[in-house]
Amino acid sequence: GRRVMLARTTISVDMPMEEAENFWLNFTPERSNWDDHGVWEKLEGLEGECHRISFRVPLVKTFEFRVKTLERRDFPEPGCVTHVYRAIKPDGELDFTPGVAVGKSVLRPSTACPGDTELVIVEELPSMVRYCPRFLVNWMFTSFVPKMITKKIAKYKQYKGL
């Protein structure tokens, strides 16, 4: 079979579910107030929630993906919100080519701190990342991504006055 690289990140969002959901799943231009690494642009004329994502990472060229997103409440258990994305072709059809962008995230009520939310992200690394040196990929997912999300959380809270 085909070898894939997966990344899993778990972070305490330190917000109630409703705010955590707006923080993580708001793909409108308002998102630019707390997200300075990714730009989500809605692709008009395609069926469903289709977006172009431009994602900036230091030391690496900007990644750009076209994805379709889907959100489901109370999955995998009551109180959770699951979000999945999959690369799409220019016509909006799902792209099943090996190495394209695919991932999911789950916002779930924290068991450690009632009233808080935990974010779990699982992504198959796109083929373009596989050509980066292993140490850089390691740094990206063990250091950069958690710090980036923590910074976004702080900027969101400041923006919303929380």
Side-chain angles (χ1 to χ4, degrees):
R2 179 173 74 89
R3 261 187 87 197
V4 297
M5 289 176 58
L6 298 173
R8 180 175 189 253
T9 306
T10 302
I11 293 181
S12 173
V13 181
D14 192 28
M15 286 184 263
M17 179 63 78
E18 184 178 304
E19 288 294 340
E21 187 177 350
N22 187 53
F23 157 73
W24 191 243
L25 301 176
N26 179 339
F27 304 130
T28 68
E30 181 187 26
R31 185 181 181 101
S32 66
N33 290 292
W34 62 86
D35 186 350
D36 53 6
H37 288 94
V39 175
W40 289 72
E41 174 191 347
K42 179 135 174 70
L43 296 172
E44 300 297 335
L46 299 177
E47 187 178 326
E49 285 294 312
C50 298
H51 304 270
R52 178 186 347 260
I53 309 167
S54 298
F55 185 68
R56 294 178 299 278
V57 179
L59 307 175
V60 181
K61 71 176 189 147
T62 298
F63 298 115
E64 189 169 293
F65 308 105
R66 296 169 63 95
V67 298
K68 180 175 267 188
T69 64
L70 178 65
E71 186 179 312
R72 184 163 175 203
R73 299 186 175 290
D74 296 320
F75 182 81
E77 51 197 42
C80 294
V81 178
T82 297
H83 168 257
V84 296
Y85 67 88
R86 177 82 197 190
I88 56 172
K89 297 176 181 177
D91 64 1
E93 291 297 313
L94 295 178
D95 188 348
F96 293 102
T97 307
V100 297
V102 59
K104 76 173 186 174
S105 61
V106 177
L107 288 163
R108 63 182 181 202
S110 173
T111 54
C113 296
D116 284 350
T117 306
E118 189 175 74
L119 170 63
V120 180
I121 307 163
V122 179
E123 297 179 289
E124 180 179 336
L125 303 185
S127 59
M128 66 180 76
V129 175
R130 294 188 203 134
Y131 297 106
C132 292
R134 181 73 77 186
F135 79 90
L136 188 56
V137 174
N138 237 6
W139 166 82
M140 192 177 346
F141 287 98
T142 61
S143 182
F144 174 74
V145 169
K147 287 177 184 173
M148 174 193 66
I149 295 172
T150 301
K151 180 180 170 188
K152 286 181 191 182
I153 292 168
K155 285 181 78 172
Y156 178 85
K157 287 179 174 181
Q158 181 180 16
Y159 172 71
K160 290 291 186 171
L162 302 176

